[in-house]
Amino acid sequence: MNYEALLDEANQEGLIVKEKPLKYNNGRIKGKRIAIRQDIETNTEKTCVLAEELGHHHTSVGNILDMNDVRNRKQERQARLWGYNKLIGLTGIITAFRAGCQSRHEIAELLDVTEEYLQECIDCYRDKYGVYTEVDNYVIYFIPNLAVMEKI
């Protein structure tokens, strides 16, 4: 999913997305308004930021800026997980395997996300699923490295 598609989705949900000169964050959401830092260089990076902000729209309640509060950290994790599932998901990892991707760079390029965002997603999934998880006829390993195997 690309930046334009996410902008359309946000618009359909009644959200207003504007690019602004943010100093401390790449994105912020307040009510029905999302701000994306205007000097982010690529649409791929903007896509990753917008996905997380949409995740906050769908999963967060109230002001969660204070990361010293464990409840806020949990909401932050949920918003990020929502974004990871939206842009990558376990099926995206399988799609990359089936497309013959051999590196994180190739996977990120195929899924139109940054390599950093892909790595954060893999780390999150490793924390959530542990060593591996099964999806349909595939096994996705997260430890020691990302690997996908098709069951026979």
Side-chain angles (χ1 to χ4, degrees), residues 101-114:
C101 294
Q102 297 292 312
S103 67
R104 280 181 173 65
H105 174 77
E106 290 176 353
I107 296 168
E109 190 172 274
L110 177 78
L111 299 175
D112 200 20
V113 297
T114 65

Side-chain angles (χ1 to χ4, degrees), residues 14-113:
L15 300 171
I16 299 166
V17 179
K18 299 279 186 187
E19 294 186 19
K20 301 265 185 182
L22 300 177
K23 289 184 181 183
Y24 302 109
N25 304 82
N26 286 335
R28 292 284 309 270
I29 183 168
K30 185 173 183 181
K32 296 280 188 179
R33 297 164 51 152
I34 296 174
I36 304 293
R37 189 166 48 88
Q38 69 185 14
D39 61 347
I40 293 176
E41 292 184 20
T42 68
N43 277 356
T44 300
E45 291 173 274
K46 290 177 187 177
T47 301
C48 298
V49 172
L50 182 53
E52 181 178 331
E53 297 310 317
L54 287 172
H56 284 295
H57 170 70
H58 289 287
T59 66
S60 301
V61 177
N63 180 338
I64 65 166
L65 293 175
D66 179 8
M67 287 295 117
N68 292 319
D69 186 330
V70 69
R71 294 170 297 185
N72 293 349
R73 289 194 307 270
K74 286 180 181 180
Q75 287 193 70
E76 182 68 29
R77 183 178 184 275
Q78 283 302 111
R80 288 184 181 181
L81 180 59
W82 189 96
Y84 299 146
N85 288 337
K86 182 74 172 176
L87 296 183
I88 299 169
L90 297 173
T91 56
I93 294 169
I94 292 168
T95 298
F97 166 76
R98 293 178 69 198
C101 294
Q102 297 292 312
S103 67
R104 280 181 173 65
H105 174 77
E106 290 176 353
I107 296 168
E109 190 172 274
L110 177 78
L111 299 175
D112 200 20
V113 297

